[in-house]
Amino acid sequence: MIAHCPALLIAAPASGHGKTSLTAGLARYHARAGRNVRVFKTGPDFLDPMILERASGNAVYQLDLWMTGKDACRQLLFEAAQSADLILVEGVMGLFDGDPCSADVSQRFGIPVAAVIDASAMAGTFGAVAHGLFSYRENLACAGVIANRIAGDYHADLVRESLPHSIPWLGAVNRDEVMGLPSRHLGLVQAKEVADLDARLDALADCFANTPLANLPQAIEFSGTDPDTSVREQPLAGRTIAIARDAAFAFLYPANIDTLQSLGANLVYFSPISDASVPQADSLFLPGGYPELHLDSLSANRSMLQSVRAFVASGKRVYAECGGMLYLLESLSDKSGEKAAMAGVLPGRATMQSKLVALGMQSFPLMDGEWRGHTFHHSTLETTLAPSARGRRQRGNRAGYDGESIFIHGSVIASYIHAYFSSDPALTGRVFGG
């Protein structure tokens, strides 16, 4: 089947050029005009989608040809195109960074690229950078370029005049701290932590009012199939999964929630920061997040820590990834050296570092199945536990660069890897049905 919808992929020469800010501003502009805007994020990411969801009013899903899968990406776009007035896809890193990269997504699904280029320290070279982006690979659909962090009208004229005639000008956005999005060590600050986020998004949206991007781009075709309405096997039917969800544990893919629900699970949410105990449940899911920013609150909530220990002692399944795993350790220390007691379910301690410790796509072999996902953390772990398995790097493990440790300790499964559940639904059912 075929659906038609206008679409753009927002890319850049590298990280830091303003892709998220301008994608969010464009989404807010069209949503404010009453249009149904669906935004996707290329590659694994939890923080950018929070901003993009706030800007568009719709949940943001991942499009990654390796992690999500080609067919699943195609179906997500097709289903969005059936009801959306505009589809925006924010790229990851630079246009050609990664394997697969944002350009691969553009070419596989025929989505034209709108390139964001930080012009703050250039004039005529702007055109050379734009030319390089769109001539590096054949048959890459070019929607045009947006000049970001412009100093004023004269600067905008200089960069616009530098463009080859074959590359459309899509407008310029001035330098303005009010429109910036604050960040910290893992990326952007979570959307709910930015008090004036809506004002920032509206200011970004205003930048597009008198540009070609104020109009919808040309509609393109998306192919897919109608959702399967037949009764599917639901191995988690009748089971309740308690999911930690608050300022310390917020790294949850919407697709993971969808997968658990499609398998029949009933989901209940709770806060390890403020609630007294884990809800009545059959399994416990502790996702990643920022436990290091909430050491005092997490450590002081002794009734919750005791409840987590009791849940583990009951033999019920506990699945913890990254920050969730750190919460189960004996202690966690932040970058300043402040140390706090955690649940003590897993032997060991973790310490936050000033630099990134691990980054990359990895698969997660477990129970005769394999999730795909990624790792991205600033902490180091010291533990007496021996890994039950190791993650497999997307491009293969190398000496000194093994995949992340996967720990199985009683009923607890823990790792730094953030898993994408729909990459192996059967495994998801076995993990949370245990």
Side-chain angles (χ1 to χ4, degrees):
M1 297 184 67
I2 299 294
H4 295 83
C5 186
L8 288 173
L9 189 147
I10 313 298
S15 297
H17 281 246
K19 293 190 303 293
T20 303
S21 295
L22 297 196
T23 304
L26 187 57
R28 173 57 65 92
Y29 177 86
H30 287 284
R32 207 167 57 182
R35 299 183 179 113
N36 181 12
V37 182
R38 288 294 309 275
V39 187
F40 293 90
K41 172 65 182 179
T42 301
D45 197 303
F46 298 102
L47 295 165
D48 291 2
M50 294 179 187
I51 302 291
L52 298 171
E53 178 176 344
R54 183 75 160 267
S56 65
N58 287 313
V60 175
Y61 286 74
Q62 315 307 125
L63 290 182
D64 184 274
L65 296 174
W66 183 79
M67 184 180 78
T68 314
K70 300 178 183 66
D71 292 340
C73 287
R74 184 180 303 281
Q75 187 66 16
L76 284 168
L77 287 166
F78 168 72
E79 291 177 7
Q82 289 181 305
S83 60
D85 298 304
L86 174 65
I87 290 174
L88 297 175
V89 180
E90 186 199 341
V92 59
M93 301 182 291
L95 179 57
F96 302 102
D97 295 329
D99 181 17
C101 63
S102 299
D104 293 325
V105 173
S106 166
Q107 291 187 300
R108 177 166 288 275
F109 302 115
I111 305 173
V113 173
V116 176
I117 301 175
D118 180 355
S120 59
M122 66 175 76
T125 304
F126 182 91
V129 174
H131 173 72
L133 285 175
F134 288 110
S135 63
Y136 182 75
R137 184 185 288 188
E138 292 183 359
N139 301 318
L140 183 68
C142 171
V145 293
I146 310 163
N148 196 19
R149 300 175 187 137
I150 291 291
D153 291 344
Y154 178 63
H155 187 197
D157 289 341
L158 289 176
V159 298
R160 181 175 187 174
E161 291 166 3
S162 73
L163 284 177
H165 294 301
S166 59
I167 300 178
W169 171 257
L170 298 178
V173 176
N174 290 338
R175 272 179 283 192
D176 189 338
E177 291 184 4
V178 174
M179 297 187 294
L181 298 175
S183 62
R184 57 165 68 104
H185 57 280
L186 292 182
L188 294 177
V189 171
Q190 296 180 76
K192 60 185 177 183
E193 297 179 60
V194 185
D196 62 344
L197 178 58
D198 285 310
R200 291 172 184 257
L201 292 172
D202 283 334
L204 284 162
D206 291 341
C207 297
F208 295 101
N210 297 308
T211 72
L213 291 171
N215 303 310
L216 290 174
Q218 184 175 354
I220 60 176
E221 288 187 354
F222 293 100
S223 62
T225 59
D226 281 337
D228 184 3
T229 57
S230 61
V231 177
R232 299 179 183 179
E233 184 179 355
Q234 294 190 316
L236 299 180
R239 294 186 65 86
T240 297
I241 301 173
I243 302 178
R245 193 172 201 174
D246 59 17
F249 304 99
F251 291 178
L252 284 161
Y253 289 126
N256 281 4
I257 300 302
D258 292 351
T259 299
L260 292 173
Q261 291 177 325
S262 72
L263 295 174
N266 174 50
L267 308 181
V268 294
Y269 299 93
F270 71 101
S271 169
I273 292 177
S274 59
D275 289 338
S277 63
V278 177
Q280 191 70 31
D282 301 294
S283 302
L284 173 60
F285 176 21
L286 298 170
Y290 287 112
E292 68 275 12
L293 300 181
H294 303 275
L295 291 180
D296 292 343
S297 298
L298 291 170
S299 184
N301 193 349
R302 296 182 180 180
S303 64
M304 176 59 74
L305 293 173
Q306 176 57 37
S307 179
V308 170
R309 289 191 286 267
F311 194 97
V312 173
S314 73
K316 296 178 180 179
R317 170 73 70 221
V318 178
Y319 171 66
E321 55 187 34
C322 204
M325 177 178 68
L326 304 188
Y327 180 62
L328 295 180
L329 297 171
E330 294 171 293
S331 68
L332 174 61
S333 300
D334 64 17
K335 288 189 294 184
S336 66
E338 180 184 351
K339 180 180 177 181
M342 295 287 106
V345 168
L346 299 178
R349 61 184 182 178
T351 304
M352 300 302 299
Q353 307 297 313
S354 59
K355 295 182 179 180
L356 185 65
V357 173
L359 168 68
M361 308 296 285
Q362 295 193 19
S363 58
F364 192 127
L366 184 69
M367 297 181 178
D368 298 320
E370 188 168 76
W371 281 321
R372 290 186 171 188
H374 81 288
T375 181
F376 183 71
H377 60 92
H378 283 70
S379 65
T380 54
L381 171 64
E382 297 177 43
T383 181
T384 57
L385 285 176
S388 298
R390 285 195 176 273
R392 299 188 180 113
R393 291 177 178 269
Q394 178 193 2
R395 303 189 70 176
N397 291 346
R398 294 177 288 137
Y401 294 91
D402 291 336
E404 295 285 8
S405 296
I406 298 167
F407 301 105
I408 300 178
H409 186 62
S411 63
V412 177
I413 299 172
S415 175
Y416 271 118
I417 300 173
H418 296 275
Y420 191 76
F421 294 166
S422 62
S423 61
D424 193 336
L427 173 58
T428 303
R430 290 194 293 274
V431 168
F432 289 97

